[in-house]
Amino acid sequence: MAHDHSHSSGSRRRLAIVFGIVLLIFVFQVIGSIMTGSLALLIDTGHNSVDLIGIGIALFAATLVRKPPKGQKTWGFRRAEVLAAGAQATLLLGLGVYSLIEGIRRFFVPPEVPGPELMFFGVVGLLGNIVSIIILSSSKEQSLNLKAAFLEVIADALGSVAVILAAVSIWLFDWTRADAVAALFIAALIVPRAFSILKETGSILLEVAPRELDLDRVKMHIEGVEHVQEVHDLHVTRIDSNLPVLTAHVVLADECFYDGHAPRILIALQECLAEHFKVAIEHSTFQFDRAKDAAQETHTHT
């Protein structure tokens, strides 16, 4: 558990720093949106505002996750990060849809946008995003929250690049539609990523097994342990993005319940699950059944 707390503390620190950077970028871009009237910068500002809310939620969730289990909350607040990522993705999806609609409208009726000012605010945003990417890059796989935040700042950086390219096009070539094109590009970044995060959070909430885990191989490995005759009622779910949990009924030869084999088999099963798979399963619960009792069962589970 100390290891988990260390990761959680590191996550909170990184998220807090990135929150501060995104807040500064957001303030600059609000000013820039008002000064330039640029849709691309406005959408990027909206994107940053959603990131700001999302990273704030993620920061709050990272704090909740550290709370120990208590009372009926047997897993504590481990699932808070999943709910936070889902809320963040929902906000992103709404922003992406708005960006597509407004970008198409402005493509046909392009407003006047000052290129040099747009360039300045685009560069400021890009520099802030690069710093955030560096901070999160080493820890993005530690949790769904950090992964979502990392993807956010990557998309923000690409959005800032789009704003800069639009500014160059307007400034040097007087192509006013570049602003709408940049806004549509940013929207194209936002929508697929929002769906990706929603899919991941949905699979956890629906208790779908991790896609990296082949359940047939898991069953084969368990049945390969000496004295194990059969495995049924095998379930693998995730409490959060980093905590897979397995439960199973394991049928043992009858004599294992009398000759002291059962405890050794339990240790062998737990070591097998923790070491043999890409997704290490360190939380497992087994019910041992006698062969003669299992033979009398009349129900089957798929």
Side-chain angles (χ1 to χ4, degrees):
M1 294 302 291
H3 179 71
D4 290 341
H5 283 188
S6 172
H7 274 232
S8 176
S9 179
S11 299
R12 289 172 69 247
R13 282 195 299 272
R14 289 180 175 88
L15 286 170
I17 294 169
V18 171
F19 181 84
I21 293 171
V22 174
L23 178 60
L24 287 174
I25 296 172
F26 172 71
V27 171
F28 269 106
Q29 289 187 330
V30 167
I31 297 169
S33 298
I34 295 170
M35 288 178 59
T36 64
S38 164
L39 176 63
L41 189 56
L42 177 64
I43 297 304
D44 205 29
T45 304
H47 190 186
N48 269 319
S49 71
V50 174
D51 290 352
L52 198 60
I53 294 168
I55 293 170
I57 293 171
L59 190 56
F60 181 61
T63 302
L64 284 180
V65 165
R66 299 182 73 210
K67 291 182 176 292
K70 184 179 180 181
Q72 292 184 310
K73 298 181 180 68
T74 56
W75 288 107
F77 290 88
R78 294 294 296 254
R79 198 157 269 186
E81 61 114 338
V82 180
L83 298 175
Q88 191 175 356
T90 302
L91 290 171
L92 275 176
L93 187 59
L95 177 64
V97 171
Y98 168 77
S99 306
L100 288 170
I101 295 170
E102 186 65 12
I104 292 170
R105 188 186 72 80
R106 288 206 185 192
F107 184 82
F108 293 102
V109 188
E112 290 295 324
V113 177
E117 289 89 341
L118 184 59
M119 170 76 79
F120 170 75
F121 289 106
V123 169
V124 170
L126 179 60
L127 291 175
N129 293 143
I130 290 172
V131 174
S132 298
I133 289 168
I134 292 170
I135 292 170
L136 292 175
S137 61
S138 62
S139 57
K140 63 182 183 294
E141 299 301 330
Q142 287 181 12
S143 75
L144 191 58
N145 260 344
L146 284 172
K147 182 179 180 181
F150 180 77
L151 291 174
E152 294 302 337
V153 294
I154 286 285
D156 281 343
L158 292 174
S160 295
V161 170
V163 169
I164 292 169
L165 291 176
V168 170
S169 299
I170 294 169
W171 191 3
L172 299 181
F173 306 108
D174 199 30
W175 187 42
T176 53
R177 284 188 173 86
D179 183 56
V181 171
L184 290 170
F185 173 75
I186 296 170
L189 293 174
I190 292 172
V191 173
R193 198 175 69 264
F195 275 117
S196 173
I197 296 172
L198 283 172
K199 181 180 177 182
E200 181 73 6
T201 56
S203 70
I204 293 175
L205 294 175
L206 290 172
E207 300 194 341
V208 177
R211 63 178 177 273
E212 303 91 348
L213 199 64
D214 185 337
L215 295 188
D216 290 333
R217 284 193 65 229
V218 172
K219 187 173 185 291
M220 181 185 71
H221 269 268
I222 294 175
E223 291 181 338
V225 173
E226 190 177 3
H227 302 295
V228 173
Q229 296 186 354
E230 182 192 348
V231 177
H232 59 271
D233 281 2
L234 174 65
H235 302 283
V236 182
T237 60
R238 285 177 291 173
I239 303 303
D240 63 21
S241 57
N242 285 324
L243 183 58
V245 177
L246 178 144
T247 61
H249 285 225
V250 177
V251 179
L252 303 180
D254 292 349
E255 61 269 17
C256 293
F257 292 90
Y258 311 110
D259 61 11
H261 273 123
R264 293 198 294 273
I265 295 171
L266 178 60
I267 293 171
L269 291 173
Q270 290 171 335
E271 288 177 349
C272 172
L273 294 174
E275 297 171 2
H276 282 91
F277 303 101
K278 183 178 180 181
V279 177
I281 303 174
E282 296 180 352
H283 290 263
S284 55
T285 304
F286 297 100
Q287 176 176 314
F288 286 162
D289 296 331
R290 294 183 302 177
K292 67 177 182 181
D293 295 333
Q296 295 172 0
E297 290 182 359
T298 55
H299 64 281
T300 7
H301 295 265
T302 305

